[in-house]
Amino acid sequence: MTTASTPRPDRRLLVSGFLFGCGIAASMIDLFVFHLVLHWHHFYDLSTSDVALVSDGFFHAFGWFLTIFGAFLLADVRRRRPVRWARWTGAVIAGVGFFQLFDGVVDHKLLRIHQIRYGVDLVLYDTVWIVSAVVLLAAGALTVWRTRPAPRG
């Protein structure tokens, strides 16, 4: 059942973009840049390096699962009707920001399973990480809001 103001394909489009953004942030930005290229941290740094590498593997698989699932939802939306790309892009940006904010607050600060970097003062790193996440999340949410469908009636 759909409502007049938020038809189901629109929600599916937003979920698609959000999941795609979370997956890209996890698999491409965080894992590829910070884990593999810079070697700043692993997903789980509270054990041996073998455990850290295995945790990166599961993290990578989970991130790609989100990305592919988001792409399948996008394909389904596209099959049903034209895609509103600006709206989808806003959802992607919001997904990237949400993932980064979740990682920065929950993984880094609450669970402490890893930090952005070790052996340095974390204040600047945490500030840049979390502020950039909030900016991305706000920009994505603003784009989604500005591209919302006009109410029927």
Side-chain angles (χ1 to χ4, degrees):
M1 181 173 189
T2 61
T3 62
S5 61
T6 56
R8 192 169 183 81
D10 188 61
R11 275 186 280 176
R12 189 168 292 216
L13 178 73
L14 294 177
V15 170
S16 163
F18 184 79
L19 292 178
F20 194 85
C22 287
I24 291 297
S27 295
M28 294 300 293
I29 299 169
D30 191 27
L31 188 100
F32 187 72
V33 174
F34 295 102
H35 297 210
L36 300 177
V37 174
L38 297 175
H39 297 187
W40 281 6
H41 65 259
H42 297 284
F43 181 71
Y44 187 75
D45 280 331
L46 300 178
S47 185
T48 66
S49 61
D50 288 341
V51 171
L53 287 174
V54 170
S55 72
D56 280 348
F58 282 113
F59 179 62
H60 197 172
F62 178 72
W64 279 115
F65 171 78
L66 291 177
T67 305
I68 298 301
F69 189 61
F72 273 114
L73 287 177
L74 177 63
D76 182 56
V77 170
R78 188 164 185 209
R79 181 179 59 83
R80 295 170 191 246
R81 61 195 264 186
V83 173
R84 300 178 65 208
W85 290 107
R87 190 160 175 77
W88 185 79
T89 302
V92 170
I93 294 168
V96 170
F98 174 82
F99 173 82
Q100 189 171 335
L101 184 61
F102 179 87
D103 189 39
V105 172
V106 175
D107 294 339
H108 297 177
K109 296 301 153 203
L110 296 177
L111 299 177
R112 296 185 175 273
I113 59 175
H114 65 257
Q115 296 298 322
I116 297 171
R117 195 167 184 190
Y118 295 96
V120 297
D121 183 13
L122 286 174
V123 173
L124 179 61
Y125 288 95
D126 285 339
T127 302
V128 169
W129 192 276
I130 291 174
V131 168
S132 64
V134 169
V135 168
L136 285 167
L137 186 58
L142 179 64
T143 302
V144 167
W145 184 76
R146 291 183 66 155
T147 59
R148 68 190 182 281
R152 294 182 184 169

